[in-house]
Structures are given as structure tokens and as C-alpha cells.
Amino acid sequence: HIGDNVVCTGAVRNVKLAHPYITFFVPRLFSDIVLNNSDFSLDTPPQDAVSVGLIGYGGIQHEISADNGNIVEACTKDLCAKLGLDQVPAVNKTPVLILSEQELEDARKCENAILLNANCQTCSKTKGYPHWQQVADDLINRGYRIAQIGGKVSRDLSPDIHGVEDMRGKTTLRQLIVI
């Protein structure tokens, strides 16, 4: 998932600060996320590279209690566990995105908007919240600008929300991450 990979950039930075000799590779599909980020190699991983699999918060019980800190702190903890490392300090608590001046300027175009991702995918349609239109209407009535983001491919379930800027499917992966 895009957001999970973005969050993991913060966890990787935390591990790299303590263990600079470790090389992290990112799936090609998400290479735009780590553009200009020296914490990652965009080379093809060697045959003996270790895959850590999915990095996450630590299970539903931890999510309910939030006892693993914010999402980057939790992913740092999980990454260390999957690498067999002692826990490193979560010095960095946010994703690490290295943005160009042009990307920073592009991001400013949405700085006064609430970004609404009402998407879910067909494989997880139980996550579909049926009241996004009411949420958007309430925010618009309060004077907020809303931009709807997300995908528009066949696996996406994305309701049409009226009164918002429809940006679904109109950005590259990198542009979406930047905004």
C-alpha cells in the first residue's frame, strides 16, 4: 500500500541512523516514494537480500491501545524486530520525503485543502465508510476546501463526492505523495 511505504521511510531512517551499514531496497512499484532519499538503494537487490515482509503497527490490540506510539514509531519497532535488531530510538517520527523545490511549490497548491481519500479496494470493501458525502458537506458548509484523492482503477471503490475538487486518478504517485 502506498501509505504504508511512505510511513516506512521514517522507520528506515531511524534504523539507518543506528545501523548505517544496512542497505534497504524498495519495491520498483514504489520507487517514486524514495526518490532522492539516500536511505534506499534503487539497485536490484542481490540474490541473498533478506526480505522483511510487511512492516506494520503491531496488531489490532496495539492499534486499539496505541501503545506503540505513532505509526512511524510502531513501524520502527516492527522493522527492528523483523531484522533481529535491538530496538533503535525513534528519532524520526514522520515519513522522510526528499522533495525538490518544484515539488514543494506544487504541494503549496493544496496546502489550504483537506485531502479526502474515500477509497477502499474491492478486497477490503468493509472499510468503505458510507457517510463521506455528509462529512464533505459539513466541512464545505464550514468553509473548508476539500480535494478528493485516490485511485480510479477497477479495483478501487471510490464514491463520487459532490462539491469537492476531484483529483482521483489525476496525479502521478509522486504528485499524490507530495500533496
Side-chain angles (χ1 to χ4, degrees), residues 113-159:
I114 293 175
L115 301 179
L116 172 62
N117 185 357
N119 275 23
C120 66
Q121 294 177 347
T122 53
C123 63
S124 61
K125 60 185 167 187
T126 57
K127 293 181 181 179
Y129 181 64
H131 306 289
W132 284 121
Q133 185 64 60
Q134 293 94 322
V135 170
D137 290 345
D138 184 53
L139 291 169
I140 292 166
N141 288 336
R142 294 176 188 212
Y144 291 99
R145 175 180 159 219
I146 312 294
Q148 185 177 0
I149 59 171
K152 278 197 104 166
V153 295
S154 60
R155 67 185 176 132
D156 291 317
L157 300 174
S158 185

Side-chain angles (χ1 to χ4, degrees), residues 38-59:
S38 62
D39 294 336
F40 294 87
S41 171
L42 294 177
D43 295 334
T44 301
Q47 291 285 48
D48 63 345
V50 175
S51 174
V52 295
L54 299 174
I55 305 300
Y57 194 85

Side-chain angles (χ1 to χ4, degrees), residues 82-98:
K82 289 183 174 161
L83 289 172
L85 300 172
D86 289 337
Q87 183 60 41
V88 301
V91 175
N92 199 63
K93 296 181 185 339
T94 61
V96 177
L97 302 173
I98 311 301

Side-chain angles (χ1 to χ4, degrees), residues 5-76:
N5 279 274
V6 171
V7 166
C8 283
T9 62
V12 165
R13 171 65 53 92
N14 289 330
V15 172
K16 287 287 284 187
L17 288 171
H19 302 281
Y21 56 87
I22 297 176
T23 302
F24 288 92
F25 297 91
V26 66
R28 281 281 165 219
L29 177 63
F30 297 115
S31 61
D32 281 356
I33 293 170
V34 298
L35 193 65
N36 304 317
N37 186 333
S38 62
D39 294 336
F40 294 87
S41 171
L42 294 177
D43 295 334
T44 301
Q47 291 285 48
D48 63 345
V50 175
S51 174
V52 295
L54 299 174
I55 305 300
Y57 194 85
I60 193 71
Q61 282 309 115
H62 294 289
E63 289 180 21
I64 291 169
S65 62
D67 60 359
N68 279 334
N70 78 17
I71 188 73
V72 172
E73 292 169 310
C75 287
T76 299

